[in-house]
Amino acid sequence: MNRLTFLIIILVVSYHILLPQDHYDVVVDWQGTGDYKTISEAVDALSMYPYQRTVIFIKKGVYEEKIRIEKNYITLKGESRDSTIIRYNLPREAWNKNKDYLGPGVVNIEGDDCILDNLTIENSQPVIGPHAFAVYGLNPNRVIIINCNVLSKGGDTVSLWNYKEGMYYHANCFFEGAVDFVCPRGWCFIRDSKFYEVKKTAAIWHAGNYSPDQKFVLQNCSFDGVKGFDLGRHHYEAQFYLLDCTFSENMSDKPIYKVYDKNPDRNNPYYGGERKYFFNCQKDGQTYNWYKNNLDQAPGNPKPEDIAAAWTFQNQWEPELKSPIKITSYVINDHSIILEFDEIVTVRDIPIFENSEGKQFKIKVMRFNDINRLSFTSETPITKSDLIGEMKLIQGDIIASMAYIQIRSIGKKFNIILN
């Protein structure tokens, strides 16, 4: 199966993980009908510290530019997965010789809680093999890439390298590249995605040497490429989990392996040993023994149903969480009330809610930083009895700022737990 046929099949059979939002803060259109013509202009125009989630909607078109995202809570949302294209020709060595502030990738992420959705991101340098980043970042945490094509003919296509605390979630994506073209450091969970290796070398790579719990989990993913491509490798401590994955007949009979240098002094410590775990993986054509089921040998003896994004991230982050955000406490002060939420929140429009008697509470201060408290006021003094029963949000919205695959709102109806 050639690469074009493989990609067409993906586009036909893949489903779309939709961020259920019609809200856009900024619109980019290269033809000039939006707020900005380039994505870089839109990102640069944001405040130095954007404490609220900002959604940048990018209309169809080819955007020949490099982007640096160093602010938190930024969403780049394309109008069309295949027709909203961020493209730039940039071999890594060329950048090394002439470094700039933007970074060595097409999209350079340095802020936390970034979401890339419904886009194609391509490093268009034409040579097969040399390192050529499409998505790159040394410091980001909680990065989501969904419904995207991320392409390069070079290695290290997706390189998110916060080796201490980095957590990354990707789903319903098509990844293409040469050596180690998806190569996370830290924790990474990928599901329902396709991988295509353009060179006879390893497709995936992991570094988990900072914590023994760091892992790379792939669930329901498919791998194809040139004949004889390898599944994966690593240079440092690493931990791989592959569940319900499929491999094309072109994959070599070579297990995920550690790279050793001829000079022993240059080899990294290997305290954890072999940690490559498989469950229900299948291959077209000749089958190999090394991807047989061995999940029961993994630390903690996890069951297949236990393994999910939250499990991967040790419950520090649940990117698939769908439940509404909640109010955890309140403080009444005459005509005002301070509501505290269970996580950092973003305000959209001017939120107003009312109780069952029709008494309204309007947000008080429209200057925010990344905290989980909001102040509301009412025309008459507020008492505890005003907070009994169901509240109705009649204007605006309050959502979680952290990165999730779905918008987590307080909802149109909610309750304040009285203490």
Side-chain angles (χ1 to χ4, degrees):
M1 183 187 300
N2 62 36
R3 180 258 183 188
L4 180 59
T5 303
F6 185 61
L7 180 54
I8 291 172
I9 291 173
I10 292 164
L11 298 178
V12 170
V13 304
S14 65
Y15 63 90
H16 187 73
I17 301 172
L18 178 66
L19 287 176
Q21 61 187 15
D22 295 318
H23 174 95
Y24 307 123
D25 299 289
V26 179
V27 176
V28 176
D29 182 10
W30 66 277
Q31 298 184 90
T33 66
D35 301 299
Y36 302 94
K37 287 187 175 181
T38 72
I39 304 164
S40 295
E41 288 175 332
V43 172
D44 292 344
L46 299 177
S47 63
M48 184 176 294
Y49 300 106
Y51 296 110
Q52 307 275 288
R53 176 157 295 281
T54 302
V55 180
I56 300 174
F57 179 71
I58 308 167
K59 289 195 173 183
K60 295 178 183 178
V62 178
Y63 298 82
E64 292 276 355
E65 56 179 308
K66 283 202 311 177
I67 301 162
R68 181 181 179 87
I69 301 172
E70 56 186 351
K71 299 161 184 176
N72 300 333
Y73 316 128
I74 304 300
T75 298
L76 299 187
K77 169 84 171 180
E79 181 180 7
S80 166
R81 170 173 177 158
D82 304 305
S83 300
T84 301
I85 302 169
I86 307 171
R87 176 184 292 156
Y88 200 81
N89 181 335
L90 185 63
R92 181 180 181 181
E93 284 305 312
W95 184 84
N96 287 343
K97 293 176 182 178
N98 188 24
K99 295 181 179 180
D100 62 19
Y101 173 72
L102 294 178
V106 178
V107 176
N108 301 275
I109 304 173
E110 298 300 338
D112 295 341
D113 295 290
C114 178
I115 300 173
L116 306 178
D117 178 31
N118 208 38
L119 303 161
T120 291
I121 302 168
E122 180 181 8
N123 190 323
S124 58
Q125 73 82 33
V127 182
I128 291 178
H131 292 111
F133 305 116
V135 176
Y136 172 85
L138 286 180
N139 299 301
N141 194 13
R142 296 183 301 274
V143 175
I144 289 177
I145 305 175
I146 53 175
N147 312 315
C148 287
N149 305 317
V150 191
L151 314 173
S152 174
K153 287 184 171 61
D156 293 12
T157 304
V158 182
S159 299
L160 296 172
W161 288 350
N162 182 343
Y163 72 94
K164 288 186 178 181
E165 57 187 14
M167 295 182 286
Y168 321 114
Y169 176 97
H170 314 321
N172 191 33
C173 289
F174 175 71
F175 301 109
E176 178 188 84
V179 61
D180 309 335
F181 65 89
V182 176
C183 50
R185 299 173 188 253
W187 290 265
C188 184
F189 179 89
I190 302 180
R191 67 174 175 87
D192 306 323
S193 295
K194 313 291 183 180
F195 294 73
Y196 192 90
E197 172 61 77
V198 301
K199 187 178 179 181
K200 190 177 178 180
T201 185
I204 58 175
W205 181 97
H206 180 236
N209 51 302
Y210 191 78
S211 165
D213 296 314
Q214 291 176 331
K215 56 182 71 73
F216 187 6
V217 177
L218 300 106
Q219 196 169 72
N220 193 37
C221 292
S222 298
F223 293 82
D224 194 9
V226 300
K227 189 173 181 60
F229 79 91
D230 300 335
L231 177 58
R233 65 177 193 161
H234 59 107
H235 293 76
Y236 307 90
E237 298 276 4
Q239 189 172 187
F240 295 85
Y241 290 77
L242 287 90
L243 293 85
D244 300 309
C245 292
T246 58
F247 312 122
S248 82
E249 59 184 354
N250 288 337
M251 188 178 75
S252 71
D253 187 5
K254 189 171 187 178
I256 298 173
Y257 62 95
K258 186 177 187 304
V259 177
Y260 288 96
D261 195 276
K262 293 180 180 179
N263 180 355
D265 293 336
R266 298 186 64 181
N267 287 319
N268 296 296
Y270 198 29
Y271 303 119
E274 291 297 295
R275 293 184 295 168
K276 291 99 177 186
Y277 307 108
F278 299 88
F279 177 79
N280 193 37
C281 292
Q282 310 292 328
K283 179 182 175 296
D284 295 334
Q286 181 185 358
T287 60
Y288 307 142
N289 187 54
W290 50 265
Y291 56 80
K292 67 181 181 182
N293 292 352
N294 67 340
L295 190 59
D296 59 338
Q297 300 175 25
N301 189 26
K303 302 295 186 290
E305 57 271 22
D306 297 331
I307 295 181
W311 176 89
T312 301
F313 305 125
Q314 299 176 277
N315 295 312
Q316 299 176 76
W317 179 37
E318 296 185 59
E320 296 178 346
L321 192 62
K322 301 176 183 178
S323 58
I325 57 173
K326 297 179 180 179
I327 298 168
T328 57
S329 66
Y330 65 91
V331 175
I332 296 172
N333 184 13
D334 195 27
H335 286 67
S336 68
I337 181 172
I338 300 172
L339 301 180
E340 185 167 329
F341 298 84
D342 57 352
E343 60 180 281
I344 295 168
V345 295
T346 287
V347 167
R348 288 182 170 169
D349 196 7
I350 301 175
I352 301 174
F353 67 91
E354 65 179 17
N355 63 14
S356 59
E357 302 298 322
K359 183 170 183 172
Q360 293 188 356
F361 306 81
K362 182 178 180 180
I363 197 160
K364 180 180 180 181
V365 180
M366 293 302 291
R367 290 187 62 193
F368 308 104
N369 48 20
D370 49 359
I371 59 174
N372 61 337
R373 294 186 298 277
L374 297 175
S375 296
F376 291 80
T377 60
S378 184
E379 292 181 353
T380 58
I382 299 170
T383 65
K384 189 174 181 178
S385 62
D386 292 328
L387 309 179
I388 296 174
E390 188 175 74
M391 303 293 160
K392 184 184 299 183
L393 191 68
I394 61 174
Q395 179 177 298
D397 203 356
I398 303 168
I399 68 166
S401 297
M402 190 179 289
Y404 295 98
I405 66 169
Q406 294 193 12
I407 296 301
R408 296 187 55 233
S409 166
I410 192 173
K412 293 300 181 183
K413 296 179 179 180
F414 60 91
N415 292 89
I416 298 173
I417 305 301
L418 301 182
N419 48 32

